[in-house]
Amino acid sequence: MSIAENIAGVERRIVDACRAVGRDPSEVRLLPVSKTKPPEAVVELAGLGYRLFGENKVQEAYGKWEVLHEQHPEIQWAVIGHLQTNKARVVARFASEFQALASVRVAAELDKRLQAEGRQLDVLIQVNSSGEPQKFGVDPDEAVALARELKPFDALRVRGLMTLALFSDDHEAVGACFRRMLVVQERLRTEVGDLSDWSDLSMGMSGDFELAIAHGATTVRVGQAIFGDRLDPNAYWPGITAG
Ligand SMILES: *Cc1c(COP(=O)(O)O)cnc(C)c1O
């Protein structure tokens, strides 16, 4: 199956998942996640009208941006993985969206760098909805406190929340993660409603996007179901540094 056929299949499954719960498919945005895949794969999907691509590593994303931005200024990048403060400068330079905000320190650094670049960035707060210690993101109970601290940062357009649910076949346990996100979203709307409408809920990947849609996801981040199995992360980008 080609990438084009795969993404058409994912789009159909999104429509079906929406219909099954009475949602309008236009409420759900498909973010193709191109990590470990070469720029040509991104260009192929850009030719089908996709504009925004997700990457979890800043250096890999920046490397693809460098290769593509002159010939394909329409292609935009969403950084969806953990960010170290010292890479905020790079993200401020090229990314359109950052889905893994989890600290005031990173927010402050991003804002400073974005102000210097004269740019703005859409951001989502990453919440650790599964409680697994190895996962990034703020605890559900800490989201309100972090959100309140984001108010001074004009260059950050806060849109909502992102999570990685438990990686499991147990639908009940995965669904519980998604439901925790709805509780956090509701609290933010009541307690920090002047910062954002909190409407974007980025949750669901290749293995669980239909379940995420049933729980209200508005963005699903899908890699393998579109691009096939992940390649060796170093296969295409051995020498790229994000300088
Ligand atoms: C890789 C990745 C995805 C996509 O995962 P697939 O299983 O390939 O669909 C989604 N979100 C994040 C944060 C990722 O790193």
Side-chain angles (χ1 to χ4, degrees):
M1 288 259 275
S2 69
I3 294 175
E5 287 168 324
N6 288 343
I7 202 162
V10 170
E11 293 281 16
R12 275 195 300 275
R13 287 169 60 191
I14 290 172
V15 169
D16 290 346
C18 286
R19 295 231 169 98
V21 293
R23 294 187 63 193
D24 179 345
S26 69
E27 289 171 16
V28 178
R29 155 177 95 135
L30 170 59
L31 177 67
V33 176
S34 50
K35 66 186 184 206
T36 80
K37 301 298 175 178
E40 298 76 53
V42 172
V43 170
E44 185 179 342
L45 289 189
L48 297 175
Y50 293 89
R51 292 289 173 263
L52 185 67
F53 293 87
E55 290 278 344
N56 69 331
K57 295 204 177 91
V58 175
Q59 275 170 237
E60 184 177 345
Y62 186 68
K64 289 177 196 177
W65 174 83
E66 277 192 308
V67 172
L68 294 175
H69 79 277
E70 280 177 10
Q71 282 198 332
H72 293 280
E74 77 281 9
I75 294 176
Q76 303 191 321
W77 299 95
V79 173
I80 60 176
H82 174 68
L83 180 65
Q84 290 167 310
T85 320
N86 64 4
K87 302 233 176 82
R89 184 170 56 91
V90 181
V91 170
R93 193 180 305 156
F94 82 97
S96 299
E97 187 166 321
F98 175 51
Q99 297 202 357
L101 187 64
S103 78
V104 188
R105 226 158 59 94
V106 167
E109 190 64 21
L110 275 173
D111 187 69
K112 184 171 107 188
R113 302 296 183 174
L114 287 159
Q115 304 282 359
E117 299 273 347
R119 301 186 73 232
Q120 291 195 316
L121 187 67
D122 288 336
V123 300
L124 304 182
I125 293 178
Q126 181 174 0
V127 176
N128 182 350
S129 61
S130 69
E132 294 164 284
Q134 74 275 19
K135 288 242 171 93
F136 290 108
V138 295
D139 286 344
D141 287 344
E142 293 168 355
V144 165
L146 174 59
R148 287 201 173 116
E149 296 199 78
L150 301 181
K151 287 183 188 175
F153 304 133
D154 298 334
L156 304 181
R157 292 183 298 234
V158 182
R159 301 294 196 211
L161 302 170
M162 183 274 254
T163 200
L164 284 119
L166 198 68
F167 192 71
S168 163
D169 290 336
D170 178 349
H171 280 204
E172 188 42 47
V174 177
C177 294
F178 296 143
R179 285 192 293 277
R180 262 172 228 133
M181 296 300 287
L182 295 173
V183 173
V184 175
Q185 182 187 46
E186 191 49 41
R187 273 197 65 193
L188 287 162
R189 282 183 167 156
T190 357
E191 297 179 39
V192 206
D194 52 340
L195 180 65
S196 172
D197 67 4
W198 302 103
S199 58
D200 198 2
L201 270 186
S202 176
M203 51 191 204
M205 315 182 4
S206 291
D208 60 8
F209 70 83
E210 283 136 323
L211 191 61
I213 288 170
H215 285 86
T218 58
T219 298
V220 292
R221 309 176 307 269
V222 179
Q224 294 173 89
I226 297 170
F227 294 101
D229 289 344
R230 213 109 62 209
L231 303 171
D232 175 347
N234 299 312
Y236 284 91
W237 311 104
I240 283 174
T241 53

